[in-house]
Amino acid sequence: MSSSTPSGPARGALTAVGAVAAVGLGVLGWSLLEARAYTVRQVRIPILAPTAPEIRLLHISDLHLLPRQHRTIAWLRSLAALEPDLVVNTGDNMAHRRALPAVLHALEPLLTRPGAFVMGSNDYFGPQAKNPARYLLADPRRPDSGDQPPENLPGRELGKAFSAAGWRDLTNRRDTLTVRGVEFELVGVDDPHLDRDSFPAREDAPSDASAAVRLGVAHAPYQRVLNTMHADGCEVILAGHTHGGQLCVPGYGALVTNCDLDTSRASGLSGWPGTAGDPGSAWLHVSNGIGTSPYTPVRFACRPSVTLVTLTSRT
């Protein structure tokens, strides 16, 4: 009688397949949990005048909020306890056409603080299922096929609500803001990922560099935008969009940025175009964001976060 028990090599192959499947399930399970393991990162940037007080700037980005994400909303509301002096939102707030009330409720405690914002693609257009392999391209966008489809997210209503609360709208605009006696010259662009960026020209001469902090704000950190902001004199540039790579390799980091920014700058504080702290470079901070597309609700080695940026005096 023949036995149905697999032979030695067959048993080895089945064991290997089972081990790979177990590891895959473990990674998937962890990545689903990590996508909700929110944290607050902290960095310091020494750019203020020696006599200026420290400024606590809260950088938030890429909420991709769904109305049902009550735990996320509660965590975002808790950020007011950080008592930031300034809030900067770099876009992609919504992942559903009915998410506007949820976003406003989540950010309500922060809207009482001085703030500024720009929009991302997911403030105008709802997320879509995409082939993940596209993100391995140097520029994952599809070739321009003409006019964009009608907007199906209430981003313009969101912008009006932010503005009504007092936040500065930097959608292809300049503005100024004074925080704790420190003057900020602000400049921002609409989402470069949609090619909506149009850098605003200066109408007046720039302020004395020692008396104002020049801050650039964009959703997607495309090199053309970073170069223009640097040439304009921005000392600090804030952006989001990359999700920090979203699925990273431990010990290596991001594999993709979803734009033409190099992966070494996919998340956190760096310099542009040189290294952080280089006298000829701006400080660049890229948020890895809070949310994900509902079609890929996972993160690996890339915890979702906001960043408390403490601006300190130059030494």
Side-chain angles (χ1 to χ4, degrees):
M1 178 181 294
S2 62
S3 173
S4 60
T5 302
S7 63
R11 283 197 303 270
L14 288 173
T15 300
V17 170
V20 169
V23 170
L25 289 173
V27 169
L28 176 60
W30 175 257
S31 64
L32 289 168
L33 291 173
E34 186 173 345
R36 299 294 178 264
Y38 309 121
T39 190
V40 178
R41 302 182 187 278
Q42 298 196 36
V43 298
R44 300 175 72 87
I45 301 179
I47 60 166
L48 300 181
T51 58
E54 289 188 345
I55 302 293
R56 292 159 61 87
L57 186 161
L58 182 64
H59 181 190
I60 60 178
S61 194
D62 295 87
L63 276 59
H64 294 283
L65 201 60
L66 295 167
R68 66 174 182 267
Q69 292 177 313
H70 304 296
R71 179 173 172 272
T72 306
I73 293 168
W75 187 83
L76 289 167
R77 289 180 64 85
S78 75
L79 295 174
L82 297 172
E83 298 185 343
D85 302 303
L86 175 62
V87 181
V88 177
N89 182 327
T90 49
D92 268 13
N93 293 278
M94 295 178 284
H96 192 279
R97 60 190 178 89
R98 296 194 181 95
L100 177 59
V103 171
L104 293 177
H105 180 61
L107 299 181
E108 179 187 21
L110 295 175
L111 289 171
T112 63
R113 302 278 177 171
F117 68 94
V118 294
M119 295 298 183
S121 59
N122 284 151
D123 292 309
Y124 299 121
F125 303 101
Q128 298 177 345
K130 298 175 182 178
N131 181 354
R134 290 178 56 237
Y135 294 103
L136 297 174
L137 301 174
D139 189 341
R141 297 174 297 176
R142 294 184 178 88
D144 186 9
S145 58
D147 295 336
Q148 293 172 352
E151 297 172 11
N152 58 5
L153 290 181
R156 299 186 188 273
E157 290 81 358
L158 179 64
K160 290 177 182 178
F162 284 168
S163 295
W167 283 10
R168 302 298 200 263
D169 183 354
L170 301 180
T171 308
N172 295 331
R173 294 185 66 249
R174 295 179 182 270
D175 212 323
T176 60
L177 191 62
T178 300
V179 179
R180 301 191 66 197
V182 176
E183 181 184 356
F184 285 80
E185 287 189 357
L186 310 172
V187 62
V189 292
D190 204 351
D191 190 11
H193 194 63
L194 297 176
D195 293 317
R196 291 192 174 193
D197 53 301
S198 178
F199 199 79
R202 284 188 178 273
E203 296 181 359
D204 302 309
S207 301
D208 180 2
S210 65
V213 177
R214 299 175 187 169
L215 177 63
V217 183
H219 175 64
Y222 279 85
Q223 293 186 31
R224 67 177 187 275
V225 174
L226 302 181
N227 289 335
T228 302
M229 288 184 170
H230 176 255
D232 191 66
C234 289
E235 301 166 276
V236 179
I237 303 173
L238 303 180
H241 177 71
T242 65
H243 295 192
Q246 190 163 330
L247 299 175
C248 297
V249 177
Y252 177 82
L255 297 175
V256 298
T257 63
N258 196 20
C259 63
D260 63 358
L261 186 69
D262 57 282
T263 55
S264 68
R265 294 180 171 96
S267 176
L269 190 63
S270 62
W272 188 267
T275 57
D278 186 330
S281 295
W283 294 89
L284 171 65
H285 183 265
V286 179
S287 172
N288 68 357
I290 289 296
T292 65
S293 166
Y295 295 101
T296 53
V298 293
R299 284 178 179 261
F300 189 77
C302 184
R303 286 181 66 179
S305 69
V306 299
T307 303
L308 190 64
V309 182
T310 302
L311 306 180
T312 65
S313 61
R314 296 184 293 270
T315 56

